[in-house]
Amino acid sequence: SKLVGHSKVMAHLLPHLIAPVDREHFLRFLGICSVPSSAEKQWALFKKIHCDFCYPVASDKNFLKEAKVWLNKKDYAWDTSILKIVDNLVIGALGSAQSD
């Protein structure tokens, strides 16, 4: 889908504005089972994901405090921006849920 492909490219170009969205982790975590076929509806879904989930999480004071510590340590190579940390936590949450 354009939603997934474009979000990944834009996340590299604009890491402080766009979170990478994938089907296996991100969409599944949010309970989104299917991506609409029209580009307009995919754009609306992309916007909803960011406005209703990514940005609220990324702007939470407690999350931001911890995320900035992670970014400064540089111990986690995959944590390249605040929104990428959101993505990595989603992946981790699904991974730990599968092992339970």
Side-chain angles (χ1 to χ4, degrees):
S1 73
K2 291 179 181 181
L3 168 78
V4 171
H6 288 140
S7 76
K8 290 183 178 219
V9 170
M10 290 190 305
H12 285 287
L13 296 172
L14 304 165
H16 302 293
L17 294 175
I18 306 298
V21 175
D22 70 345
R23 290 178 192 267
E24 183 179 349
H25 302 101
F26 217 95
L27 295 179
R28 187 166 51 114
F29 180 80
L30 296 175
I32 300 168
C33 298
S34 64
V35 175
S37 58
S38 81
E40 293 81 14
K41 289 182 180 177
Q42 286 187 40
W43 174 248
L45 180 57
F46 171 87
K47 184 177 175 182
K48 181 171 178 49
I49 289 167
H50 281 78
C51 291
D52 293 354
F53 179 72
C54 297
Y55 297 150
V57 170
S59 63
D60 177 82
K61 288 180 195 176
N62 293 323
F63 172 80
L64 258 177
K65 181 180 172 185
E66 294 299 323
K68 287 181 179 179
V69 169
W70 290 338
L71 287 172
N72 287 332
K73 283 185 177 181
K74 301 190 187 311
D75 290 343
Y76 308 101
W78 294 103
D79 293 336
T80 54
S81 71
I82 299 294
L83 289 170
K84 182 58 181 155
I85 292 173
V86 172
D87 176 56
N88 292 337
L89 290 174
V90 165
I91 293 167
L94 284 174
S96 66
Q98 290 176 352
S99 63
D100 289 342

